[in-house]
């Protein structure tokens, strides 16, 4: 299989990051609607063009696309009318974000004979679980004492913040678990889209842990940068899946052409 175009994916990542950075500066309150909108469109196109109904990973991308659109709606409502309904939309977005990876692993494992996790993936899963436990510790601290980064957030919004952070941890663990099952089946380029999704979860989890390091300068700036990077990676994951599908079609077309050429020589 032809390798995915890394320069194009890198260019897409940098472009999406630039959109997110400009949105943070121009839209005052830091609303990421332009970036989220682009990511939602990319993921929707991924669902429409990369898979047919019934393909095992399709529903995972449907969940991801829905999560992105809910995030667009939540951020937009937050900018217009403030928290309230926006908080519920963002909570539902994060729940779908979790469902996407859990559903993908269930579908892939159910549709193939998956060997036990190789030792490197067992270590990676253990590391992801440790990060998840650290995030859970951070959530417990936030719920009890409030957020050191967002001190004005109190009450139900504090629980919402904790729920979002726990979702990031669940996606990280589920993503590493999925990759451990996926890599022996297809490996290489075929695993890259979900690797990027898992990397996005890892970035979000790191952003959740930054408040633990109170000595970091400008922690909110670091968190904003990581969130922009995480959402940008999700968009690139969709593009990687489209590129993978295009490569698979090209490979199939080349194989058919070769078979036709062999048949005509007989």
């Amino acid at each position: 299989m032809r390798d995915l175009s890394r320069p194009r994916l890198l260019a897409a990542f940098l472009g999406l990051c630039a959109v997110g950075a400009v949105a943070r500066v121009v839209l005052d309150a830091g609303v990421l609607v332009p970036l989220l909108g682009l990511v939602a469109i990319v993921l929707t196109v991924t669902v429409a063009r990369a898979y047919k109904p019934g393909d095992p990973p399709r529903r995972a991308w449907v969940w991801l696309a829905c999560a992105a659109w809910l995030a667009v709606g939540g951020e937009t409502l937050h900018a217009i009318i403030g928290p309230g309904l926006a908080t519920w939309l963002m909570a539902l977005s994060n729940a779908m974000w979790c469902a996407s990876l859990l559903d993908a692993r269930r579908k892939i494992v159910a549709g193939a004979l998956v060997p036990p996790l190789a030792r490197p993936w067992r270590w990676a899963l253990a590391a992801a679980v440790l990060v998840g436990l650290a995030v859970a510790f951070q959530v417990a601290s936030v719920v009890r004492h409030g957020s050191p980064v967002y001190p004005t957030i109190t009450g139900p919004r504090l629980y919402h913040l904790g729920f979002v952070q726990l979702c990031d941890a669940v996606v990280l663990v589920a993503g590493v678990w999925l990759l451990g099952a996926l890599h022996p089946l297809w490996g290489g380029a075929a695993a890259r889209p979900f690797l990027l999704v898992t990397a996005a979860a890892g970035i979000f989890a790191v952003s959740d842990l930054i408040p633990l390091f109170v000595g970091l300068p400008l922690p909110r700036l670091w968190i904003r940068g990581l969130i922009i990077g995480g959402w940008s990676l999700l968009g690139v994951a969709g593009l990687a899946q489209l590129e993978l599908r295009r490569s698979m079609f090209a490979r199939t077309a080349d194989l058919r052409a070769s078979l036709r050429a062999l048949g005509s020589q007989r």
Side-chain angles (χ1 to χ4, degrees):
M1 180 181 296
R2 206 167 32 172
D3 193 17
L4 301 183
S5 175
R6 293 182 182 181
R8 280 190 291 183
L9 295 181
L10 177 59
F13 173 73
L14 295 176
L16 287 171
C17 285
V19 171
V22 171
R24 284 289 187 184
V25 173
V26 174
L27 297 180
D28 189 34
V31 180
L32 288 177
V33 173
L35 173 60
L36 296 178
L38 287 174
V39 171
I41 291 171
V42 168
L43 295 178
T44 301
V45 172
T46 300
V47 171
R49 301 197 61 180
Y51 293 106
K52 296 178 181 179
D55 286 347
R58 185 177 190 269
R59 192 159 64 179
W61 292 97
V62 171
W63 286 116
L64 283 171
C66 290
W69 283 114
L70 284 171
V72 172
E75 285 280 356
T76 303
L77 285 178
H78 189 276
I80 296 174
I81 62 175
L85 179 58
T87 300
W88 288 101
L89 287 179
M90 294 302 291
L92 184 57
S93 172
N94 279 271
M96 287 187 172
W97 161 244
C98 287
S100 65
L101 271 294
L102 293 172
D103 183 70
R105 189 185 188 282
R106 184 182 66 83
K107 286 280 188 180
I108 289 171
V109 171
L113 183 61
V114 177
L117 286 180
R119 179 173 295 180
W121 286 109
R122 290 200 297 268
W123 283 109
L125 182 60
V129 170
L130 288 177
V131 173
L133 291 174
V135 171
F137 172 80
Q138 162 66 12
V139 168
S141 176
V142 164
V143 170
R144 180 175 296 182
H145 305 294
S147 172
V149 180
Y150 304 103
T152 59
I153 294 180
T154 57
R157 292 181 63 200
L158 202 60
Y159 287 95
H160 165 73
L161 179 62
F163 175 75
V164 168
Q165 293 178 344
L166 286 176
C167 285
D168 294 338
V170 169
V171 172
L172 175 61
V173 174
V176 173
W177 197 16
L178 168 65
L179 288 171
L182 182 65
H183 194 270
L185 298 179
W186 299 316
R192 187 174 298 166
F194 283 110
L195 175 63
L196 292 170
V197 173
T198 305
I203 287 178
F204 289 140
V206 170
S207 73
D208 297 334
L209 294 176
I210 279 184
L212 295 177
F213 305 97
V214 293
L216 275 176
L218 300 175
R220 291 186 66 172
L221 183 61
W222 281 97
I223 292 174
R224 289 172 179 173
L226 288 170
I227 290 173
I228 289 172
W231 277 106
S232 299
L233 269 184
L234 278 179
V236 174
L239 294 174
Q241 185 61 66
L242 290 172
E243 180 78 5
L244 172 62
R245 197 67 170 179
R246 185 190 65 79
S247 298
M248 291 174 66
F249 281 142
R251 181 182 176 89
T252 302
D254 291 343
L255 179 59
R256 288 175 179 173
S258 299
L259 291 175
R260 283 196 299 266
L262 287 173
S264 64
Q265 293 174 5
R266 292 182 179 179

